[in-house]
Amino acid sequence: MSWFKRKNKNVNTIEKKSIPDGLWDKCPNCDEILFRNEMKKNLMVCHHCQYHFRLLPEDYLKIIFDNTNYEEINSQIRSSDPLNFKAVKKYKDQIKEAVLKTGSPDVLSTYIGEINKYKVVLGVMNFKFIGGSMGSVVGQKISKAVDYAQDKSIPLILISASGGARMQEGVFSLMQLAKVSAKIARFSSNGGLFISLLTDPTTGGVSASYGMQGDFILAEPGALICFAGPRVIKQTIGEDLPDGFQKSEFLLQKGFLDAIVHRKEMKKTLLRLIKFSSKTI
């Protein structure tokens, strides 16, 4: 074959140009190759199939708040190691690595900001911090966020992205479900507005507690929302599951959600709900 005879044919090999990492992404839904800078302009949503890629907390702040004049609250709260948990890695070392990786002290960050001049308390989870697992810090931060919203008579918005309770904290993690649920129930009974926004994925203890306790429960398109994942359920019951099982569209059809909201409509939808609630309270 002639391509073996490069020297005889005077064929010169040109060194391939390397493409920097992080310029392109492949959509996991439609397999389209996407230019990342263009995706950022489109709020990390695929132009072809509208698949919503996962966002970092700071991205949601840009989408929801009017400007950068927001304030983080309770950032000083840190995870401890109440059980002295040891596995392949020590829990203390996992926390240190997660802090270095994400630049955040824990999964949940809470802020005070404005949506079209309406002041709100906003909590956003970071799935990259130990899989968005809910430990005692998450429970404490939500508890304090509820107290602040109650004292100032302003809405509370929580954006969830979680793999469930944090097993390294054992019962201390599980106690947060009851703690946060009780706080939100009291907040609601006192006339407070709580909007829950579920993103991909919202599972385990978060979906079993405050994730599903909102006065309005919203979700992004195509988000996995469940307690146990579809693979676990399929292995347990030994049957094939319906198409799109436990996706946000499936839950909306079954009455678990109030609406599915595209990111481009997120701020507008939150504002509409806040205005509606302020008139009806």
Side-chain angles (χ1 to χ4, degrees):
M1 297 174 65
S2 60
W3 62 274
F4 279 112
K5 305 175 182 177
R6 292 179 180 270
K7 292 184 179 179
N8 294 337
K9 298 291 184 178
N10 293 322
V11 176
N12 296 321
T13 301
I14 300 175
E15 185 178 350
K16 292 182 179 180
K17 294 181 179 180
S18 60
I19 300 175
D21 293 334
L23 288 181
W24 301 90
D25 283 302
K26 183 177 181 180
C27 177
N29 186 56
C30 69
D31 293 332
E32 191 72 26
I33 304 299
L34 306 165
F35 187 45
R36 178 168 277 270
N37 285 344
E38 290 300 318
M39 285 180 61
K40 288 180 179 178
K41 295 178 184 178
N42 201 41
L43 305 181
M44 293 303 289
V45 176
C46 176
H47 293 77
H48 299 270
C49 69
Q50 301 305 304
Y51 174 82
H52 282 49
F53 285 77
R54 294 173 183 173
L55 290 183
L56 295 173
E58 52 264 33
D59 297 321
Y60 283 108
L61 302 183
K62 294 175 184 177
I63 293 172
I64 292 174
F65 285 146
D66 293 339
N67 47 51
T68 58
N69 295 329
Y70 50 80
E71 176 189 356
E72 185 174 1
I73 57 175
N74 302 312
S75 60
Q76 76 283 0
I77 303 175
R78 297 289 191 275
S79 293
S80 62
D81 187 6
L83 303 179
N84 194 25
F85 187 90
K86 296 178 182 178
V88 177
K89 290 183 181 178
K90 292 182 179 179
Y91 179 40
K92 290 180 181 178
D93 293 336
Q94 282 186 290
I95 294 172
K96 290 178 182 177
E97 289 179 10
V99 171
L100 290 173
K101 178 182 177 181
T102 63
S104 299
D106 208 274
V107 172
L108 182 75
S109 299
T110 50
Y111 304 87
I112 305 163
E114 293 184 345
I115 301 177
N116 198 27
K117 306 301 181 182
Y118 285 90
K119 185 169 284 189
V120 301
V121 179
L122 174 67
V124 192
M125 300 186 79
N126 188 346
F127 187 75
K128 289 189 175 181
F129 195 106
I130 314 182
S133 52
M134 180 178 65
S136 54
V137 168
V138 172
Q140 184 67 1
K141 281 193 172 184
I142 293 177
S143 178
K144 286 184 171 292
V146 172
D147 289 340
Y148 189 95
Q150 183 70 67
D151 292 341
K152 302 296 183 181
S153 298
I154 58 177
L156 170 67
I157 303 169
L158 295 178
I159 301 178
S160 300
S162 175
R166 189 173 295 177
M167 67 175 186
Q168 294 92 329
E169 294 187 20
V171 70
F172 291 93
S173 176
L174 296 177
M175 287 168 60
Q176 307 311 311
L177 279 71
K179 174 181 175 178
V180 172
S181 295
K183 276 276 188 175
I184 288 176
R186 191 178 301 125
F187 178 63
S188 180
S189 65
N190 290 333
L193 173 62
F194 169 41
I195 301 174
S196 178
L197 174 59
L198 311 178
T199 70
D200 182 67
T202 299
T203 65
V206 172
S207 64
S209 58
Y210 65 87
M212 287 295 186
Q213 288 183 291
D215 298 297
F216 298 100
I217 305 175
L218 312 176
E220 289 188 337
L224 176 66
I225 304 166
C226 60
F227 182 73
R231 180 169 56 88
V232 174
I233 293 177
K234 183 176 179 179
Q235 290 174 346
T236 301
I237 66 175
E239 295 183 12
D240 291 331
L241 303 175
D243 291 337
F245 182 64
Q246 295 181 318
K247 293 292 186 178
S248 51
E249 291 77 11
F250 183 87
L251 270 71
L252 179 65
Q253 183 183 6
K254 301 300 180 182
F256 286 93
L257 302 177
D258 293 305
I260 295 174
V261 184
H262 193 287
R263 280 185 193 141
K264 290 183 177 180
E265 300 295 321
M266 187 178 294
K267 182 175 181 177
K268 187 187 300 183
T269 301
L270 292 172
L271 177 61
R272 186 163 64 247
L273 294 176
I274 292 169
K275 284 183 174 180
F276 171 78
S277 300
S278 63
K279 291 178 181 178
T280 56
I281 293 175

